[in-house]
Amino acid sequence: MKDEHDIVRGRQAVRRMTQELAFSLVDQTKMVTAASEWARNALIYGGGGMLRWEMLLDGGKRGLRLTFQDQGPGIEDIGLAMSDGWSSGNGLGLGLTGARRLVNEFELDSTVGEGTRVTVTRWK
């Protein structure tokens, strides 16, 4: 993700994959919204990054796993960053925590000076 156009393309790809997995419209919207938020954060705060996706089959369950990775400054205090109302920019401080609530599984790894990796999964 190098610019706003990459975020749009990423959202479109996530939408297509959720449709292929037969997610409900509500679940499609949740995953696209989460993808948009995490991609935007990687671009704005991480200076750009990568989005990888994986369609999952686990018995009868289907899911989509997204991994966002950047090589930005990292997050000094993950607990603080993941609390409602905290923002390192001009936002309302609801983006990260709100996006976390939209998925079934969430993992955040960040090292100051090396970057951040966020992995999210939503199951049908």
Side-chain angles (χ1 to χ4, degrees):
M1 294 164 294
K2 296 177 186 161
D3 58 32
E4 189 72 27
H5 298 291
D6 288 340
I7 293 172
V8 171
R9 284 190 288 276
R11 287 174 33 190
Q12 291 169 340
V14 169
R15 171 78 66 196
R16 281 192 303 275
M17 286 181 278
T18 58
Q19 289 170 340
E20 286 179 39
L21 291 165
F23 277 28
S24 70
L25 183 57
V26 170
D27 287 344
Q28 289 176 38
T29 302
K30 286 180 179 180
M31 198 61 167
V32 169
T33 301
S36 181
E37 182 64 31
W38 291 109
R40 189 169 312 289
N41 278 302
L43 178 63
I44 293 171
Y45 300 108
M50 295 182 352
L51 165 59
R52 290 188 306 271
W53 53 79
E54 180 182 3
M55 295 171 90
L56 307 170
L57 295 174
D58 183 11
K61 287 186 359 180
R62 289 180 267 170
L64 180 60
R65 178 172 296 137
L66 305 175
T67 301
F68 304 85
Q69 188 159 357
D70 67 56
Q71 295 179 338
I75 301 171
E76 282 189 40
D77 187 336
I78 292 174
L80 181 61
M82 292 305 299
S83 62
D84 284 334
W86 185 85
S87 175
S88 63
N90 296 324
L92 298 174
L94 299 173
L96 298 181
T97 56
R100 180 181 185 176
R101 290 183 188 105
L102 297 173
V103 298
N104 302 119
E105 298 172 14
F106 171 85
E107 185 179 331
L108 172 64
D109 295 307
S110 188
T111 303
V112 173
E114 294 182 21
T116 301
R117 183 179 70 241
V118 176
T119 303
V120 297
T121 305
R122 181 140 191 98
W123 294 98
K124 177 183 182 331

